[in-house]
Amino acid sequence: MNRLASPAQLRASLIRWALFIIPAVMLLGFLSGQLSGSGADSAWFRSLEIPAIFPPPATFGIVWTILYFMMGLAFALVCAAWGSRVRKWAILAFIVQFVLNLAWSPVFFAAHDMQAALYVIIALDVALIVTVVLFFKVRKWAGVLLLPYLAWVLFATLLNYQFLAANPEAGEAEEAGAVQRIEF
């Protein structure tokens, strides 16, 4: 016998990975959004000029929930692919892009720094493209599961750019407002 594991063992390994990874990815994504005060209900965000392509605010919660689930499943598929030579690089790439993903909301919504957020999301675009390519090399379906996420992040990059173009001083306004001038 020259197989390392039976099909049943491989399925069990995938299920174990998925039961751990999917909730972890979804929870971390949720916490990043909640802890950064992201959303259309913040006073700062409501004061911004909204780009024409901005979807209804409820869309974001629905889309991100589905995408985080798909990301977690794709990552579980890669983690369960013990025989792949590219597996460790795919895991590392996923972690890098996921950290960038989690960093974007605090930079944009909590720090109100749309320019820095644009740099973060461009880095995320690059890291995500690398991750998708590596996931395809490990497991075709893992790469396929990340394609909607890639499309959404590219759309988010465009939105970030449009917010910055329409509100060039939005991040500076808050900092300038922190200075109090008293004249006699």
Side-chain angles (χ1 to χ4, degrees):
M1 178 174 216
N2 54 1
R3 265 198 270 175
L4 293 175
S6 72
Q9 290 170 320
L10 293 174
R11 275 191 302 276
S13 175
L14 173 59
I15 290 169
R16 284 191 300 274
W17 279 107
L19 287 174
F20 170 72
I21 290 175
I22 294 171
V25 167
M26 292 181 77
L27 177 65
L28 289 171
F30 173 77
L31 290 176
S32 173
Q34 292 300 306
L35 296 176
S36 63
S38 64
D41 32 339
S42 75
W44 173 78
F45 188 79
R46 285 187 308 234
S47 72
L48 299 176
E49 184 177 326
I50 306 294
I53 64 169
F54 189 75
T59 306
F60 291 92
I62 295 165
V63 170
W64 276 114
T65 300
I66 294 167
L67 291 177
Y68 281 130
F69 178 86
M70 292 171 70
M71 289 167 56
L73 182 56
F75 192 43
L77 282 166
V78 168
C79 288
W82 290 100
S84 174
R85 291 174 295 157
V86 184
R87 177 181 175 265
K88 67 180 176 182
W89 295 110
I91 290 171
L92 180 63
F94 181 88
I95 291 168
V96 168
Q97 71 79 27
F98 193 57
V99 167
L100 289 166
N101 173 305
L102 298 176
W104 183 86
S105 285
V107 173
F108 189 92
F109 289 106
H112 304 168
D113 193 341
M114 288 186 277
Q115 185 161 0
L118 183 61
Y119 296 139
V120 170
I121 203 165
I122 289 170
L124 172 58
D125 293 338
V126 172
L128 183 53
I129 290 168
V130 170
T131 303
V132 169
V133 169
L134 291 172
F135 272 35
F136 266 107
K137 289 182 178 189
V138 175
R139 291 260 166 96
K140 175 186 164 191
W141 286 108
V144 168
L145 283 168
L146 289 185
L147 291 177
Y149 171 44
L150 177 60
W152 185 257
V153 169
L154 291 172
F155 173 68
T157 304
L158 176 61
L159 272 177
N160 191 149
Y161 173 78
Q162 288 188 344
F163 267 106
L164 183 60
N167 304 281
E169 297 177 14
E172 297 171 15
E174 187 175 74
E175 291 173 20
V179 177
Q180 184 177 5
R181 294 185 184 173
I182 301 173
E183 294 184 29
F184 295 101

